[in-house]
Amino acid sequence: MKPAGPTNVPYVGRFAPSPTGPLHLGSLTTALASFMDAQLHQGTWLIRVEDVDPPREVAGATEAILAALAAHGLSSPIEPLFQSTRHDRYKSICAHLLEQKMAFYCACSRKQQDNFGRCAAGCQDLDISPVGNNLRINLPVDNRDFTDRVYGYIESERLTFDNAIIWRKDDLPAYLLAATVDDIDSGVTDIVRGDDLLFETHRQLAFYAVLKKDVPRYAHIPVVRNDNGKKLSKQTGAEGIDINNPIQNLAKALVQLHPEFKFSNESTNPSDWLRSLQDHWYLPTKSLQT
Ligand code: GLU
């Protein structure tokens, strides 16, 4: 099943874990979906470690995630990209945006921001110091709707202005900047990731417009939730998967994506298991209402 949209560019997908804890069932499910989608399109699958937020990082998580992916046959012929090595590139984008007067420093505290996380205090017109303050980008607010391959048409809120943070006051790149620039630089055509980022996509699309780049296709898969309905994550106490049981884990991840899937895969080696799944694989479809 081919995604909608132009298909003349070779497929490049990616899995972009943050090293805030070990790979758990939720992140394995996302990795499986994005890997399978890349295989289906005979594309390239990249791994990008989003290690741009040292305060949230857990020691050893990067190594554990990479080892877990490899143990599950989720590997890429291309070396993983580490965002921590890309600060100069992100800074050069900030410098360019400042030069074009499309970015500005903002001294608003979190409390002073509005409900959309915007500066509504006119910092743009003040002489705010770059030191210890957030850098914001002026984003276009028109035409940010998109069609998601899982959820269908996603309308964006009709804003009159938007100005998201791209460089944080603690001197670290913000997710919006790092992820968008890396997806562009890596030639990513297809993003398959958790639906906790569904509405973040509008801002990423606006950023693509600022940088005058073609947008990728998106597929947001339902995130795995715990019994209290919270996304599985380190914060909600998700346990790391036991990498000695890769087949069992892959089967569990598949059930998360397709509870109705009837497919007996006898392979005992993860790479063979993934290959056998290839002929049966399709992305789930969901509606926002359900
Ligand atoms: N690093 C993000 C996460 O672990 C994913 C970002 C993305 O796929 O764009 O949730």
Short mmCIF file of all heavy atoms in Angstrom, two decimals, residues 14 16-18 48 50 175 179 193 196-197 231, ligand 1:
data_model
loop_
_atom_site.label_atom_id
_atom_site.label_comp_id
_atom_site.label_asym_id
_atom_site.label_seq_id
_atom_site.Cartn_x
_atom_site.Cartn_y
_atom_site.Cartn_z
N ARG A 14 12.72 7.12 9.19
CA ARG A 14 13.63 7.15 10.35
C ARG A 14 12.88 6.83 11.64
O ARG A 14 11.67 6.99 11.74
CB ARG A 14 14.36 8.47 10.43
CG ARG A 14 13.64 9.82 10.54
CD ARG A 14 12.41 9.90 11.26
NE ARG A 14 11.99 11.25 11.61
CZ ARG A 14 11.23 11.52 12.68
NH1 ARG A 14 10.80 10.58 13.45
NH2 ARG A 14 10.86 12.75 12.93
N ALA A 16 13.42 7.92 15.67
CA ALA A 16 14.19 8.97 16.36
C ALA A 16 13.97 8.93 17.87
O ALA A 16 13.28 9.77 18.43
CB ALA A 16 13.77 10.33 15.80
N PRO A 17 14.55 7.94 18.54
CA PRO A 17 14.32 7.83 19.99
C PRO A 17 15.07 8.90 20.79
O PRO A 17 16.15 9.33 20.41
CB PRO A 17 14.89 6.44 20.32
CG PRO A 17 15.94 6.19 19.28
CD PRO A 17 15.45 6.89 18.04
N SER A 18 14.46 9.31 21.88
CA SER A 18 15.14 10.18 22.85
C SER A 18 15.70 9.26 23.94
O SER A 18 14.98 8.41 24.43
CB SER A 18 14.14 11.15 23.49
OG SER A 18 13.51 11.91 22.50
N ARG A 48 18.01 7.90 14.41
CA ARG A 48 18.54 9.19 14.88
C ARG A 48 18.33 9.27 16.39
O ARG A 48 17.20 9.16 16.87
CB ARG A 48 17.78 10.32 14.19
CG ARG A 48 18.25 11.68 14.65
CD ARG A 48 17.68 12.76 13.79
NE ARG A 48 16.32 13.10 14.15
CZ ARG A 48 15.33 13.32 13.30
NH1 ARG A 48 15.52 13.19 12.00
NH2 ARG A 48 14.15 13.65 13.72
N GLU A 50 17.98 11.31 19.52
CA GLU A 50 17.65 12.71 19.81
C GLU A 50 18.18 13.08 21.21
O GLU A 50 17.43 13.29 22.17
CB GLU A 50 16.14 12.92 19.68
CG GLU A 50 15.68 12.57 18.25
CD GLU A 50 14.47 13.33 17.75
OE1 GLU A 50 13.52 13.49 18.53
OE2 GLU A 50 14.48 13.76 16.59
N TYR A 175 13.40 20.86 20.36
CA TYR A 175 13.04 19.70 19.52
C TYR A 175 12.61 20.13 18.11
O TYR A 175 13.03 19.54 17.11
CB TYR A 175 11.92 18.90 20.22
CG TYR A 175 11.20 17.97 19.29
CD1 TYR A 175 11.83 16.81 18.82
CD2 TYR A 175 9.92 18.25 18.83
CE1 TYR A 175 11.18 15.97 17.93
CE2 TYR A 175 9.27 17.42 17.95
CZ TYR A 175 9.90 16.28 17.50
OH TYR A 175 9.27 15.46 16.61
N ALA A 179 14.75 18.44 15.18
CA ALA A 179 14.08 17.37 14.42
C ALA A 179 13.81 17.80 12.98
O ALA A 179 14.04 17.04 12.03
CB ALA A 179 12.77 16.98 15.10
N ARG A 193 5.67 7.89 13.31
CA ARG A 193 6.02 8.10 14.71
C ARG A 193 4.75 8.08 15.55
O ARG A 193 3.64 7.91 15.02
CB ARG A 193 6.74 9.45 14.88
CG ARG A 193 5.88 10.63 14.49
CD ARG A 193 6.63 11.94 14.62
NE ARG A 193 5.84 13.06 14.17
CZ ARG A 193 6.30 14.29 14.00
NH1 ARG A 193 7.57 14.55 14.23
NH2 ARG A 193 5.51 15.25 13.61
N ASP A 196 1.38 11.04 19.77
CA ASP A 196 1.52 12.13 20.73
C ASP A 196 2.10 13.37 20.03
O ASP A 196 2.03 14.47 20.57
CB ASP A 196 2.41 11.72 21.93
CG ASP A 196 3.74 11.12 21.50
OD1 ASP A 196 3.79 10.44 20.46
OD2 ASP A 196 4.74 11.36 22.19
N LEU A 197 2.66 13.17 18.83
CA LEU A 197 3.25 14.30 18.10
C LEU A 197 2.36 14.77 16.94
O LEU A 197 2.77 15.62 16.14
CB LEU A 197 4.64 13.91 17.57
CG LEU A 197 5.70 13.77 18.67
CD1 LEU A 197 6.93 13.04 18.17
CD2 LEU A 197 6.09 15.14 19.21
N LYS A 231 0.65 7.55 28.09
CA LYS A 231 1.63 7.02 27.14
C LYS A 231 2.73 6.28 27.89
O LYS A 231 3.24 6.79 28.89
CB LYS A 231 2.23 8.19 26.34
CG LYS A 231 3.29 7.77 25.34
CD LYS A 231 4.09 8.94 24.81
CE LYS A 231 5.27 8.43 24.01
NZ LYS A 231 6.21 9.45 23.58
N1 GLU B 1 12.29 11.76 20.03
C1 GLU B 1 10.86 11.69 19.99
C2 GLU B 1 10.40 10.61 20.96
O1 GLU B 1 11.21 9.81 21.39
C3 GLU B 1 10.33 11.36 18.60
C4 GLU B 1 10.46 12.51 17.68
C5 GLU B 1 9.98 12.25 16.25
O2 GLU B 1 9.80 11.08 15.86
O3 GLU B 1 9.82 13.23 15.53
O4 GLU B 1 9.23 10.60 21.31
#
